[in-house]
Amino acid sequence: MLWNQYFYSLNNNTSFGNNVTNANIAYSVSSGVWHYNKELEKEKDDSFGTYEKTSDSPLTVKQTIADTAQWSDGVPVRACDYILAYGASSTLFNTLKTQEEIAGASNEDGTMKKQADGVVYFDSSSEAWKLITEFPQISDDGKEITYKYSSVYADWEYALFGTGVPAHVVGKRALGVADPTAACDAVLKAFQDKDNSALSKIANVWNTDYNFTSTPADAELLVSNGPYVIKDIVDEKSLTMTANTNYKGKYQPKIKDVTVVYNEDPTASAQALKNGDVAIIQPQATADLLQSLQGDDKLEVLTGDQAVYEHIDLTMNNGGPFDPKTYGGDAAKALKVRQAFLKTIPRQQIVDSLIKPLNPNATIRNSYNMTPGTPDYDSTIAGNGMNAYDTVDVEGAKALLQEAGVSGTVKVRFLYAKTNPRRQQEYRLVAESAKAAGFEVQDAGDPKWSERLGSGSYDASLFAWSQSNDSLGGSAANYTSTGQNNYSGYKNEQVDKWWTELNQSTDKAKQVEINTQIEKQLMDDAFGIILFQHPDITAFDKTKVSNVSTIPFNPNYYWNIWEWELVK
C-alpha cells in the first residue's frame, strides 16, 4: 500500500508522535478493547479485554485484561501496562508545570530533551486520565484495574482503547531491570510511589526511544500486542509489518506481510497503483487524481468525505507578528494583526478551485469542532461568528493594521507540507491574497512539517486534523492551555473552564451549547480559521487484494487490515 507521509514514531500518544501516519501503524500493531467497524459501531474485542462502568457517582470503571492478551515477545499484558499509559497521559506525575518550563523541555524539531534526574515530564495529555486523581486499584493478579474519576466525564469510554508501548520494555530501558515481570512491576511501583528519580528515567524513554524512521538496532522497541508487528523500516521510504506469531486475539491476519511505501505526490500514487507497484492508495484528493483513476477496470475507487478538516492556526508565543510580546505585551494590538490576517485568507477561492472539482457540493467549513451535515452544525455556525470571514476583506484588514499602529510589511512564516501539491496551491492563494493587505507570507514549507509543530519556528501553519472518534470533548486537546495538540501557545482561562464543563456534561444539547461558546471565543481571539472538509479518494487493485473498505475516522482504510486477502 502507499501512504502520503513516512512513519517516524511508534508512540503516537506523545505530542511529537501524534500524527495519522504513525497512528495507522500503531493501530495495526496494537490491540484495544474496542474499535470502529464499517458501520461506525464500537466493536468490542473481548479477546484483549473487557470493561464496565460500575458506578455513576463517583464515576467508576473496571477494566479486565484477557488471558489471551500478550505482547509479541510472549510477555502477558498486565495492569502495569495500562498504568504506564495512564501515568504518562494524565499529566498528574509531571514536575514541569508552567508553559515556560514545558517549552524549555523540547528541542527545535519538536522532540523532547532528556530531562535531568528527578525532573519528570511526559509529552502527552489526556482530558480523561487527568480526572483520575486517585491512583487506580489493581487486583492481586494484575489483570483488573479500577478507575475512580474525581468528576463526571462523559466520554470516558474513549480513553480505554489500548495500552500504548509495553511497560516491561520501558522498564528495562529506563530502570535496567531485565526480567519482564519485574520490569513491569518496577514501572508500576514508580508511579504508585511517585518516585521522581525513576519516573524521570521512564519519561525520557517513553518520550524519545520510540521515535525512529528506520529499523531500530534494538528489536525490543518493536514489541507490540496486535495482529501485526513491525518487521522492517527503510529510512523514510517504506515500512513492512508481518503477522504477529504470538498474537492470540480474534483478529488473525489473512496476509502475512504488508508493506507501506511513502510518497506525498497524488499523481505518483495513482501511477504506482496503475502500474501494479502498490495495491491500495488514499492520497490527498485532487480532481486530476480522481479522473486518472476512473475508467480502469482493475481498480475499485471509493469516494466520500473523511472526518478530516483543513485549517490554519496562528502562533501566539514565538515573538512573531501574532504574539503580544512583539508589541510590548499589547494583546489588543496582536489580536488586530491576527484578525487582519484572517480577513485575507481566500477560503471560498480555495474551496472553489481545489475542492469543488471533486465535490460540487463542497462548502467552506465554518466550525472548529462540528462536521458539516451533522445535526448540530447549523446551530453552531449561527453562533460562533466564523462566517464573518467567508469573504476576503482586504480593506478591512488594512484598517485593522492601521488601528494597531502597524506600518510597513508584516512578515508571516507559513508552514505547510512542502511536497503536497494541494497545499502548495493553498499557500500560493493565501500569499497572493494577503499581499494586497500588506502581509508578506513567506514560504516555510517543509517535507517534515509535522515534526516542527509547536517549535515556534513559524507564524502560521496549514495542516489537517483527523478525528479518530465521534467524541466532541476530545477536541479539547487542540485548544486548552495545556492541550497536547495546542501548538499555537493559545491560552484562555474561560475556554479551559468551558471544556471542563463540556466534558463533565452528559447532556448532548448542553455540550453543543458550550461548544458554541467555545468556538465563539476562539473566533473572538482569532485563534485561526477552518477551510474545508477533506474529500476522500481510496482506490485499490481488486485483482490483487479484497475486503478493502474505509471509514471516515482515523485509521481510515486500515480499520480492518486483518481482513484483507490476496486475490489468487
Side-chain angles (χ1 to χ4, degrees), residues 55-83:
S55 172
D56 284 311
S57 183
L59 174 61
T60 307
V61 178
K62 185 176 80 170
Q63 187 171 19
T64 303
I65 301 168
D67 291 336
T68 45
Q70 67 176 26
W71 297 97
S72 56
D73 58 1
V75 175
V77 174
R78 297 169 57 229
C80 38
D81 293 303
Y82 269 102
I83 292 300

Side-chain angles (χ1 to χ4, degrees), residues 87-132:
S89 298
S90 68
T91 73
L92 298 173
F93 298 87
N94 292 343
T95 62
L96 298 184
K97 301 293 185 182
T98 68
Q99 292 291 91
E100 291 73 19
E101 289 175 331
I102 295 170
S106 62
N107 298 304
E108 289 187 2
D109 64 358
T111 57
M112 299 304 300
K113 297 175 181 176
K114 295 276 189 179
Q115 302 304 308
D117 185 56
V119 178
V120 183
Y121 184 72
F122 289 94
D123 181 30
S124 188
S125 177
S126 163
E127 298 302 310
W129 293 133
K130 287 178 184 178
L131 298 178
I132 305 175

Side-chain angles (χ1 to χ4, degrees), residues 343-365:
K343 281 180 175 290
T344 71
I345 295 175
R347 303 167 73 207
Q348 190 64 59
Q349 184 183 8
I350 289 171
V351 171
D352 288 345
S353 59
L354 302 179
I355 308 304
K356 280 195 173 181
L358 286 162
N359 176 8
N361 298 317
T363 61
I364 294 170
R365 170 166 162 156

Side-chain angles (χ1 to χ4, degrees), residues 325-337:
K325 286 185 293 186
T326 302
Y327 312 103
D330 191 334
K333 182 176 287 191
L335 173 61
K336 288 180 180 178
V337 177

Side-chain angles (χ1 to χ4, degrees), residues 432-463:
E432 181 180 345
S433 180
K435 183 178 181 180
F439 289 96
E440 179 186 327
V441 184
Q442 300 176 336
D443 188 342
D446 190 339
K448 298 184 178 183
W449 62 273
S450 62
E451 297 173 40
R452 288 176 54 191
L453 290 174
S455 67
S457 61
Y458 56 89
D459 305 309
S461 56
L462 167 71
F463 62 104

